[in-house]
């Protein structure tokens, strides 16, 4: 990966969040290995721009990188400490000679390391950041999935029920190795939830548009409707109009320590793809005999 994520995306430090997103999308189209199977360098470019995007889109991580606290891979940079800082903090001007022979000090550190001891320099491993796209139903219902790491190997990730788009999961001890006996860092997995062709999430509710026929709208009756837990039977009331919403209690998203959401089924009347002669004749006769105008109230409230 480039040492400068801004350079990897062709940007400067003044780039906005919108600039970062736009540059990433453009570069993905020109570097994704699935789109360029004959380009040997596509995969490396794709990994570089993805890693740069993952770092810079995170407001906190970007600020820490700009401040020099972490490098382009998200690894902690060791704090820069100077002898003068320690001396002034202590209010004294002593040098190493005041504490004995410097060679003895470093020899002691090396001996402690050789014995596996802790000379006081143990440091936690770096937190590693990943982005994971999961199917809509896996995010709603929970699932186990797997990340393939850029350096090889796999990492199993438990997706909890009701996970929210953009949520970051922390996997303890799954990050970079520690130094001098320090603990491993964590893996921070930011999850992006893929859209679904039937379901849409609104908080913990699941919104569903249910097509119904003209006769079902007029006469009512039972029909089968999809939910995230599987198909259910619902009753269409007589005279239902498009836009009417039927609420199915506790058929939405269930999260830990939260009340289950509902399924909100919006009815939408759909005309048949082919209007035959019998239906046409019936509707002409009905149109001549009926007097209901669904637009009357609307027109009365608008300028003449």
């Amino acid at each position: 990966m480039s040492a400068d994520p801004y350079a990897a995306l062709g940007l400067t430090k003044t780039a906005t969040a919108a600039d970062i997103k736009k540059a990433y999308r453009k570069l993905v189209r020109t570097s994704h290995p699935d789109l360029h199977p004959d380009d040997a360098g596509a995969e490396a470019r794709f990994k570089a721009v993805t890693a740069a995007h993952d770092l810079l889109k995170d407001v906190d991580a970007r600020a820490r990188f700009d401040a020099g606290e972490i490098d382009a891979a998200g690894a902690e940079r060791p704090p820069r400490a100077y002898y003068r800082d320690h001396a002034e903090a202590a209010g004294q001007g002593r040098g190493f000679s005041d504490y004995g022979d410097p060679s003895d000090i470093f020899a002691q550190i090396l001996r402690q390391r050789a014995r596996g001891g802790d000379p006081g320099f143990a440091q936690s491993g770096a937190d590693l950041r990943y982005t994971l796209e999961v199917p809509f139903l896996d995010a709603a219902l929970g699932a186990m999935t797997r990340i393939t790491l850029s350096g090889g190997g796999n990492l199993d990730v438990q997706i909890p029920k009701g996970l929210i788009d953009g949520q970051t999961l922390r996997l303890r001890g799954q990050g970079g190795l520690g130094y001098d006996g320090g603990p491993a860092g964590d893996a921070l997995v930011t999850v992006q939830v893929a859209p679904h062709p039937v379901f849409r999430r609104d908080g913990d509710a699941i919104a569903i548009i249910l097509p119904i026929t003209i006769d079902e709208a007029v006469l009512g009756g039972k029909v089968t409707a999809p939910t995230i837990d599987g198909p259910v039977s619902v009753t269409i009331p007589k005279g239902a109009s498009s836009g009417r919403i039927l609420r199915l209690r506790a058929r939405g998203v269930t999260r830990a320590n939260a009340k289950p959401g509902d399924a909100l089924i919006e009815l939408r009347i759909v005309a048949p793809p082919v209007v035959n002669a019998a239906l046409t004749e019936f509707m002409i006769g009905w149109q001549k005999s009926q007097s209901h105008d669904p637009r009357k109230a609307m027109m009365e409230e608008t300028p003449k």
Side-chain angles (χ1 to χ4, degrees):
M1 175 182 172
S2 170
D4 183 357
Y6 292 101
L9 296 177
L11 301 171
T12 65
K13 286 190 175 183
T14 59
T16 65
D19 294 334
I20 293 169
K21 186 174 183 179
K22 181 179 179 181
Y24 172 67
R25 288 183 171 178
K26 180 180 179 181
L27 290 170
V28 164
R29 289 194 293 270
T30 61
S31 63
H32 198 292
D34 291 343
L35 301 177
H36 303 276
D38 298 327
D39 186 344
E43 184 173 0
R45 296 198 308 274
F46 176 70
K47 289 180 179 178
V49 299
T50 299
H53 173 254
D54 289 346
L55 177 72
L56 296 182
K57 76 173 184 178
D58 185 311
V59 176
D60 293 336
R62 180 182 179 182
R64 295 191 68 202
F65 173 80
D66 290 345
E69 298 177 6
I70 59 175
D71 62 20
E76 299 282 346
R77 294 185 188 273
R80 291 177 291 181
Y82 301 96
Y83 162 69
R84 179 181 297 175
D85 296 334
H86 293 290
E88 291 177 353
Q92 300 177 7
R94 294 182 295 176
F96 276 117
S97 59
D98 296 301
Y99 296 93
D101 187 347
S103 63
D104 290 339
I105 296 173
F106 293 113
Q108 180 182 4
I109 293 173
L110 293 175
R111 285 194 298 272
Q112 288 177 309
R113 288 186 174 181
R115 294 195 301 266
D118 180 5
F121 292 95
Q123 184 175 347
S124 299
D127 290 342
L128 302 182
R129 295 179 177 272
Y130 303 94
T131 300
L132 175 65
E133 183 176 84
V134 301
F136 183 94
L137 290 178
D138 284 356
L141 302 175
M144 179 67 75
T145 190
R146 176 169 291 183
I147 294 176
T148 299
L149 306 180
S150 57
N154 299 311
L155 182 62
D156 290 328
V157 180
Q158 176 64 53
I159 304 299
K161 273 187 172 184
L163 180 137
I164 300 170
D165 184 46
Q167 184 174 338
T168 297
L169 305 177
R170 181 180 291 272
L171 307 181
R172 300 286 182 185
Q174 299 296 322
L177 296 177
Y179 303 94
D180 291 323
D186 300 334
L188 303 178
V189 183
T190 299
V191 179
Q192 297 174 347
V193 179
H196 194 277
V198 174
F199 305 119
R200 179 177 59 82
R201 185 166 175 178
D202 183 4
D204 285 342
I206 294 293
I208 306 156
I209 293 178
L210 183 66
I212 59 174
T213 63
I214 295 173
D215 56 295
E216 288 169 341
V218 174
L219 303 176
K222 289 189 176 296
V223 300
T224 300
T227 72
I228 60 173
D229 295 313
V232 298
S233 178
V234 297
T235 300
I236 307 298
K238 281 186 177 182
S241 299
S242 287
R244 182 163 182 173
I245 294 177
L246 308 180
R247 182 183 295 271
L248 303 183
R249 300 289 181 184
R251 286 285 186 173
V253 174
T254 300
R255 291 184 294 115
N257 303 318
K259 182 181 178 181
D262 301 331
L264 305 177
I265 298 180
E266 180 181 343
L267 303 180
R268 180 170 295 176
I269 301 172
V270 178
V274 177
V275 178
N276 58 29
L279 179 58
T280 301
E281 184 178 351
F282 169 79
M283 294 305 298
I284 291 174
W286 180 81
Q287 187 179 53
K288 291 178 179 179
S289 63
Q290 69 91 27
S291 60
H292 173 63
D293 181 359
R295 296 173 293 279
K296 181 178 180 181
M298 174 189 295
M299 300 307 297
E300 290 176 350
E301 297 297 330
T302 56
K304 301 297 188 290

